[in-house]
Amino acid sequence: MDPMSKMFEEAKRNPKMRKKLKMKAAFTLLLSVMFLGVIFITVGTILASKHGSFIGMTQLDFLRLRSRYGLIMTALILIHLGMNWNILKKEIEFLMS
């Protein structure tokens, strides 16, 4: 059994751990959905720059949207890294050994 499966099986029996994992899973899902928005905005910016507009928005509109979205994504990524800091440290230690 892989370690992640083992951890999730243990979390099913431990309410405190289950709550923490559900919060992390929800946050990861939010980041994944927001990433699709990043892809859409990037494609929209490219198409608007070539054709003048895309779905009624100019390149400048997309750049404004992109700057706001970028700040939100940066904040969410920092929160995600903070929530998973211990895992990240262990992965880095493993990578360096």
Side-chain angles (χ1 to χ4, degrees):
M1 182 183 284
D2 96 85
M4 291 303 287
S5 297
K6 190 175 182 180
M7 184 177 72
F8 284 110
E9 287 300 319
E10 183 182 328
K12 288 179 183 177
R13 295 184 297 272
N14 184 342
K16 187 176 179 182
M17 190 178 202
R18 183 178 341 159
K19 184 178 178 182
K20 188 175 180 179
L21 278 176
K22 279 188 175 185
M23 186 174 67
K24 283 185 175 186
F27 204 78
T28 300
L29 181 62
L30 175 65
L31 274 174
S32 300
V33 170
M34 296 278 293
F35 180 71
L36 294 175
V38 169
I39 293 170
F40 175 76
I41 290 171
T42 302
V43 169
T45 304
I46 293 167
L47 292 175
S49 69
K50 289 185 179 184
H51 303 288
S53 72
F54 176 66
I55 62 168
M57 294 175 70
T58 65
Q59 182 182 8
L60 185 58
D61 294 333
F62 274 106
L63 291 175
R64 285 187 192 128
L65 183 61
R66 189 180 200 177
S67 65
R68 291 182 187 122
Y69 210 81
L71 290 174
I72 294 168
M73 284 297 291
T74 300
L76 291 175
I77 289 167
L78 288 173
I79 292 168
H80 180 71
L81 288 174
M83 290 171 67
N84 296 297
W85 185 247
N86 289 332
I87 295 170
L88 181 62
K89 282 192 324 189
K90 291 192 185 312
E91 288 174 344
I92 290 172
E93 287 173 10
F94 181 74
L95 187 61
M96 295 301 173
S97 65

